[in-house]
Amino acid sequence: MAQQKKMVEAITSMDEDFAKWYTDVCKKAELVEYTSVKGCMVIRPYGYAIWENIQSILDKMFKETGHENVCMPMFIPESLLQKEADHVEGFAPECAWVTYGGSEKLEERLCVRPTSETLFCEHFKNIVHSHRDLPKLYNQWVSVVRWEKTTRPFLRSREFLWQEGHTLHATPEEAIEETERMLNVYTTFCHDYLAMPVIQGQKTDSDKFAGAERTYCIEALMHDGKALQAATSHYFGNGFAKAFDIQFANKDNKLEYPYQTSWGSTTRLIGAIIMTHGDDNGLVLPPAVAPIQAMVIPIAQHKEGVLEKAGEITERLNKVCRARMDDSDNSPGWKFAEYEMKGVPVRVEIGPKDIEKNQCVIVTRHNREKTFVSLDNLEDAVIEKLKEVHDGIYQSALENRERRTYAALTMDEITKRLEENGDGFIKAMWCGDEACEDKVKEITGVGSRCIPLEQENLSDVCVCCGKPAKHMVYWGKAY
Amino acid sequence: MAQQKKMVEAITSMDEDFAKWYTDVCKKAELVEYTSVKGCMVIRPYGYAIWENIQSILDKMFKETGHENVCMPMFIPESLLQKEADHVEGFAPECAWVTYGGSEKLEERLCVRPTSETLFCEHFKNIVHSHRDLPKLYNQWVSVVRWEKTTRPFLRSREFLWQEGHTLHATPEEAIEETERMLNVYTTFCHDYLAMPVIQGQKTDSDKFAGAERTYCIEALMHDGKALQAATSHYFGNGFAKAFDIQFANKDNKLEYPYQTSWGSTTRLIGAIIMTHGDDNGLVLPPAVAPIQAMVIPIAQHKEGVLEKAGEITERLNKVCRARMDDSDNSPGWKFAEYEMKGVPVRVEIGPKDIEKNQCVIVTRHNREKTFVSLDNLEDAVIEKLKEVHDGIYQSALENRERRTYAALTMDEITKRLEENGDGFIKAMWCGDEACEDKVKEITGVGSRCIPLEQENLSDVCVCCGKPAKHMVYWGKAY
């Protein structure tokens, strides 16, 4: 019990200091560790296993929608990065630059990719000549580098893991459809696998990806009321194609510029999982991406037959989910705390009395509810409980978001809402003018998160200037 | 047929120019494409799919032997790289150096990892304190950078994909056992999945990994008689642990330095596949890693019922292997050439006459043998044929190696063998002196590839100096 207490006490509570709670969880759940490489982190086995699960689900969804994986170089020559004006302006300030190879100074410096549009464009120019070569539906799983000043594990680091999709199409309609399709893939993934409700929307012009015509995003609300962009999907028009001179012969054998998209999601998703579902006992993992879905803990394991039975049920469970047994010397209490910290969705306890009664105890992580279950239908019960955890944490996250979403008709109302209720989403009308967007941020502290695809008409006028409103916007503070 | 001819004629024949044949295959089979980033390449969908298959098989083998995946930063501060003297001496000359982050010059330059021993050591120091923390059995799938002067797709490029295993153990025995275990894993992988016979051996001291006590390797012989190192496994002793001050409290609570290993394999394996199994019609892929294992080609596909039947058998085959159908407008002849170029192990042809007879034609890529097969047991027949391809190409590769392996007792004999028979493995005795190793290379042109684990006693004296021999060595030219 001493150790159990030690472990639980070691986390700062969410209400006391959310930022500290977050880094405590990252560290205590053994997700990451710091290194001497400033702003970069080690993703430890438990953290990486979550990413592997995310990867394997998303990769399957990408392949089912016709995409193929490729791998581009990690370096971009400076001249290549400069080909699209908006793009270089957006990314150059945060590039890491390689200037030496061995002891020789390079003739042209290379940036470590912050994103790979330019490389994909160069490649598309090489391989696309005819309408028969289209569409190209590519994706890659790599890491990218952005030289950030302030960093936090998963949320903002100088190097992070991600996937970037890059596609090329004959018509704008097809490219827009692709942009929307991938936004929907991300949305389904967040809902069905991460148990994370998200709002689909479009970024305002000031917040678009550097070089994009339109940027779509999904926005989630964290436990502390701050928003987190969980994924983005960009429509480029043919701006990049023109800058890189990518052309294809259409069916009439005339040259045309193709239309392009890109879309991405990153290890940030792990940060989003932590801040959406976690609690003061640590991590709470959505079952679909949990490295261990059911942890079997033998009670009084020195007693005859206990370890054997626990091993037997672990083996049975392993056929229907990712199950493990902890038969270490640590006390059951210590183990309970350990796997609560690590967010294992379902705990299965089994001791001598349970064995006598042909039962075990199932405890669900998110609400700590105990259920006695007959060993006869253990598998079904655990599968059922995993579904309960998924649904339960999805509901809690949705309730948190709804509780923290306020409509406001005036600037004063925005300020008042935030003062009274703390951070959250503010829904308010906007005229479309960047000056108003800036002013809202300046006065109230909340920026535009997105123009949601599902619009509501709260009023006819802009919350800031009173002129006719064009859109309802979600405003908030963001990670 | 015009197109088919064009395609086949476009490859240089192996005998004419093996190097040119190799790059032709890389390009025509759509494995890679060049970029403006010197020495780096795009791995295209077909090439990357081979790597994904390699990855998924090896990853499973690593996990089954108790290893966990992690992810280290891609950068190494110069001071960290310098901690182990041999290591920095070996790698610094080929490091790419990051000197700027955005517009700011870095206080300390960072190298893009050429390998990650130093990062793993720093991490181990942070997380290992007690014998209870051991062993650590880690692996990561990343890309690394080595600033090579001359590059060739897959074989030698400035950036390449690989996995690097890093493990830490309480005793030297355990670490040596791990080094050998992973050498065996690679060997099994090459034999059972790549159909590539390899020789297990130990590198001579002059050829060891920078910082290792012992380097084990597996060496394969390519079609042209040159050797290729397919994977390595290093035993470090506790040299790195001492340099990085990693210590653990043993069971008696005394501090000890742990023992370490690392082991790796890379996208070179794809180069090895090409040069082991390929022929003048292009690639020949081992079925286990082939992105498409069976390609269904409808004959006279405009005739009623053909496409339907071809689709039906593709669907059936997809349940037992990776099958696809090509129903494009290209002629069957063009398609035959295309998928021979791409090395698809099994081709299934089906036309109106076959349908009448309830049969199809199966053609195996490596020997172009045709078999008529009843549609009733199509699945079994294709599985059987895939096994035949695996066994057939393994046997050919083994015969090629045996035909090109010569024992030599004198320097003259080495020279004569090479002159008469071209490149290959030379087996010859060696005293263990580096001077003799250098002299053999200088005079005959072949370097030591490895001291094979399976030793033979060809004579009692060194092939070079005549002093007592310590080992039999495989000598050869290498990629």
Side-chain angles (χ1 to χ4, degrees), chain A residues 120-177:
Chain A
F120 275 91
C121 283
E122 183 188 56
H123 182 54
F124 286 146
K125 181 173 166 56
N126 280 334
I127 63 165
V128 170
H129 307 290
S130 144
H131 63 95
R132 285 170 202 272
D133 300 326
L134 294 175
K136 287 289 177 215
L137 306 173
Y138 286 171
N139 176 60
Q140 70 174 2
W141 292 95
V142 293
S143 77
V144 286
V145 169
R146 296 180 187 173
W147 221 250
E148 306 276 2
K149 301 276 176 207
T150 340
T151 60
R152 296 182 65 193
F154 298 120
L155 299 175
R156 200 167 287 277
S157 49
R158 287 187 169 171
E159 181 189 7
F160 57 86
L161 304 184
W162 81 344
Q163 62 65 219
E164 45 179 326
H166 294 268
T167 70
L168 200 65
H169 307 264
T171 66
E173 293 75 24
E174 205 185 295
I176 289 169
E177 201 187 298

Side-chain angles (χ1 to χ4, degrees), chain A residues 33-38 40-46 48-49 52 59 63 68-77 80 92-104 106-107 109-110 112-113 119 122-123 126-127 132 136 138 141 143-145 147 149 158-159 161 324 329, chain B residues 33-38 40-46 48-49 52 59 63 68-77 80 92-104 106-107 109-110 112-113 119 122-123 126-127 132 136 138 141 143-145 147 149 158-159 161 324 329:
Chain A
E33 181 63 61
Y34 295 100
T35 70
S36 64
V37 195
K38 238 188 183 170
C40 296
M41 60 184 173
V42 172
I43 306 184
R44 301 187 65 183
Y46 197 65
Y48 197 78
E52 284 183 307
D59 196 67
K63 284 177 177 157
E68 301 180 291
N69 285 333
V70 298
C71 188
M72 295 284 150
M74 71 153 83
F75 299 122
I76 308 174
L80 190 67
E94 50 183 37
C95 284
W97 294 101
V98 173
T99 56
Y100 277 81
S103 55
E104 275 174 42
L106 303 184
E107 281 175 32
R109 57 185 196 158
L110 305 170
V112 183
R113 69 180 154 226
L119 293 165
E122 183 188 56
H123 182 54
N126 280 334
I127 63 165
R132 285 170 202 272
K136 287 289 177 215
Y138 286 171
W141 292 95
S143 77
V144 286
V145 169
W147 221 250
K149 301 276 176 207
R158 287 187 169 171
E159 181 189 7
L161 304 184
R324 285 235 211 127
D329 289 342
Chain B
E33 181 64 61
Y34 295 100
T35 69
S36 65
V37 195
K38 238 191 185 169
C40 297
M41 59 184 174
V42 173
I43 306 184
R44 301 186 65 183
Y46 197 65
Y48 197 77
E52 284 183 306
D59 196 67
K63 283 178 177 156
E68 301 180 292
N69 285 334
V70 298
C71 189
M72 295 284 149
M74 71 153 81
F75 298 123
I76 308 174
L80 190 66
E94 49 183 37
C95 284
W97 293 101
V98 173
T99 56
Y100 276 81
S103 55
E104 274 173 43
L106 302 184
E107 280 174 32
R109 57 184 195 159
L110 305 170
V112 183
R113 68 180 155 227
L119 292 164
E122 182 187 56
H123 183 52
N126 280 334
I127 62 165
R132 284 169 202 272
K136 287 290 177 214
Y138 286 172
W141 292 94
S143 76
V144 287
V145 169
W147 220 250
K149 301 277 175 208
R158 286 185 171 172
E159 182 188 6
L161 305 183
R324 287 235 211 124
D329 289 342

Side-chain angles (χ1 to χ4, degrees), chain B residues 27 124 220 226 274 277 308 328 334 336 367 398 407-408:
Chain B
K27 186 113 199 223
F124 286 146
K226 287 207 187 108
I274 300 169
H277 303 306
E308 202 183 2
S328 69
W334 192 92
F336 295 170
N367 57 9
L398 191 61

Side-chain angles (χ1 to χ4, degrees), chain A residues 299-405:
Chain A
I299 309 293
Q301 63 185 43
H302 57 282
K303 294 230 170 127
E304 206 192 315
V306 172
L307 271 183
E308 200 182 3
K309 198 72 181 176
E312 189 190 306
I313 67 175
T314 308
E315 213 171 290
R316 277 173 60 190
L317 286 176
N318 244 323
K319 292 191 178 111
V320 297
C321 69
R322 295 184 286 271
R324 285 235 211 127
M325 168 170 72
D326 183 348
D327 58 0
S328 70
D329 289 342
N330 296 317
S331 72
W334 193 91
K335 292 175 190 173
F336 296 170
E338 159 96 350
Y339 301 111
E340 285 188 359
M341 178 64 74
K342 291 198 156 180
V344 176
V346 159
R347 174 169 91 217
V348 181
E349 306 168 14
I350 185 153
K353 280 184 203 153
D354 300 312
I355 295 173
E356 258 173 45
K357 294 182 194 159
N358 190 42
Q359 70 177 24
C360 65
V361 181
I362 299 186
V363 183
T364 39
R365 168 64 182 89
H366 66 305
N367 56 8
R368 290 173 142 179
E369 256 176 41
K370 273 192 175 196
T371 317
F372 291 89
V373 165
S374 158
L375 292 185
D376 294 341
N377 43 20
L378 176 68
E379 290 89 341
D380 291 346
V382 166
I383 293 296
E384 190 51 44
K385 286 291 169 190
L386 288 172
K387 207 178 152 330
E388 254 180 65
V389 174
H390 176 92
D391 294 344
I393 62 177
Y394 181 87
Q395 272 312 316
S396 300
L398 190 62
E399 280 160 24
N400 178 57
R401 187 180 83 191
E402 282 171 359
R403 202 170 49 241
R404 290 170 179 278
T405 302

Side-chain angles (χ1 to χ4, degrees), chain A residues 155 218-222 226-230 268 271-272 275 478-479:
Chain A
L155 299 175
I218 48 175
E219 298 279 330
L221 200 71
M222 302 296 99
K226 287 207 187 109
L228 184 143
Q229 176 182 298
R268 273 204 127 187
M275 294 194 295
Y479 277 98

